[in-house]
Amino acid sequence: MNPTRSPHRVALITGAGREKGIGAAIARRLAQVNVSLILTDLCAAPSDHPLAPQGGQWQTLQHLADELTRSADIQTLPLQVDVTDRNAIGNMIEQIQAAFGRLDILINNAGVAVGPAPVAQMDPSAWQRTLDVNLTGTFYVTQAALPMLIQTASQTGRGRIINMASLAATHPKPFLAAYAASKAGVVAFTRALAQEIAQFGITVNTLLPGDIDTDFKHWGLQLESMVRRQEYEEVLQAAIAQIPVGRLGKPEDVAAVVAFLCSEEADFITGQAINITGGRELVQATMPK
Ligand code: NAD
């Protein structure tokens, strides 16, 4: 690890601890353009309940960091960080300062959909945790990272913040009110912040992925198959049928947009909410019976 200023751009990615997740795909894509990476995740203990949401793991985070250090001319720093824990975030920022001395890019990717349920039966703690991770976590990490992002931008002329929302922000599905509200909050947060820090050359954009082929998505489809009392494969094919391009999105589809937004070519794009959906929003959703 270089104890002084990194020669490469440096990106912090939250929620990067799942092998097939969007965070890992973004890490691999940014490594291809020689961006050094701080890879973070909650790394919660796996649940043995078949329908419980699973999360990233420390081993996966470490493997990803090793893989990218070997395959690209970059430095990596894997860290276990809960985006709802301001002390842990503060420590993370200190470690980034010590190890890299700069921060060019922040990707707020960590996200959860705790306890999907009709509003009438929703557990308030599930609502709260979803808002805490997706919206407040995005605020906490952004606020802590801003001084270093601004300091770096004062020398390079640019910086990037990319927040992961969801198509649910504009096209909410039943049973996912907490998730949808949190992601709509991320869009509004992005638009306000973009105006505040445009003066430093830092752009702030948010991505609205549709159905992306990750374990998180398949967990959601599993729950849907239970609610609809339909076979999993039937629910999956019905979801695909509602996507005009005829397939689920790949994590790499999202990572490609991130790479573009991080490039100099995207200097004039800020405060935007960008759909990555294969056209899904053009088709009406159906209500589970
Ligand atoms: P994923 O479950 O693979 O990734 C989310 C990661 O966030 C997990 O590794 C998890 O451990 C981590 N995380 C959860 N709580 C955390 C916390 N408190 N602190 C730090 N990390 C925490 O899911 P994904 O499909 O790769 O989703 C990535 C992002 O994209 C999420 O914000 C999700 O809401 C969003 N998204 C996904 C889809 C999709 O279809 N997959 C669609 C729209 C938006």
Side-chain angles (χ1 to χ4, degrees), residues 47-288:
S47 165
D48 49 15
H49 190 287
L51 288 177
Q54 302 291 342
Q57 295 304 312
W58 174 245
Q59 254 197 339
T60 313
L61 209 56
Q62 269 184 320
H63 282 156
L64 180 64
D66 290 347
E67 169 200 322
L68 296 179
T69 315
R70 275 197 311 272
S71 66
D73 175 29
I74 59 162
Q75 296 156 351
T76 56
L77 177 61
L79 292 174
Q80 178 174 1
V81 181
D82 180 347
V83 299
T84 68
D85 179 344
R86 291 176 67 209
N87 284 333
I89 293 167
N91 290 338
M92 167 181 74
I93 296 297
E94 280 173 18
Q95 288 189 66
I96 297 171
Q97 182 67 56
F100 298 94
R102 66 186 284 178
L103 185 64
D104 303 75
I105 298 164
L106 166 61
I107 315 282
N108 283 307
N109 170 71
V112 290
V114 181
V119 170
Q121 285 128 42
M122 190 174 287
D123 178 347
S125 68
W127 168 277
Q128 194 58 55
R129 181 68 184 169
T130 304
L131 270 287
D132 284 350
V133 175
N134 297 359
L135 182 55
T136 309
T138 296
F139 160 64
Y140 284 165
V141 176
T142 302
Q143 189 181 56
L146 268 179
M148 218 191 316
L149 283 163
I150 292 172
Q151 167 65 27
T152 303
S154 73
Q155 296 176 19
T156 64
R158 63 175 56 81
R160 300 289 187 249
I161 299 176
I162 299 173
N163 297 324
M164 206 57 72
S166 165
L167 184 60
T170 54
H171 293 69
K173 286 187 181 173
F175 303 175
L176 285 168
Y179 183 74
S182 70
K183 295 298 192 178
V186 169
V187 174
F189 173 77
T190 299
R191 290 182 168 146
L193 179 65
Q195 297 167 72
E196 294 173 16
I197 60 176
Q199 61 188 302
F200 304 112
I202 303 175
T203 65
V204 193
N205 290 290
T206 183
L207 303 183
L208 277 57
D211 302 294
I212 308 298
D213 191 355
T214 67
D215 292 335
F216 174 71
K217 180 74 228 172
H218 289 287
W219 168 74
L221 290 170
Q222 238 180 313
L223 293 184
E224 209 172 316
S225 104
M226 231 177 53
V227 171
R228 291 180 186 272
R229 295 192 185 84
Q230 285 175 348
E231 289 300 316
Y232 176 84
E233 191 55 30
E234 213 179 315
V235 172
L236 172 63
Q237 291 311 322
I240 293 173
Q242 291 183 318
I243 303 170
V245 303
R247 64 168 174 85
L248 296 180
K250 295 175 282 187
E252 293 75 19
D253 292 323
V254 181
V257 179
V258 170
F260 168 66
L261 287 174
C262 290
S263 74
E264 294 184 14
E265 271 118 297
D267 274 351
F268 205 54
I269 301 175
T270 197
Q272 301 306 305
I274 301 170
N275 287 342
I276 309 170
T277 62
R280 173 66 185 82
E281 70 280 9
L282 307 171
V283 179
Q284 293 300 313
T286 54
M287 178 81 183

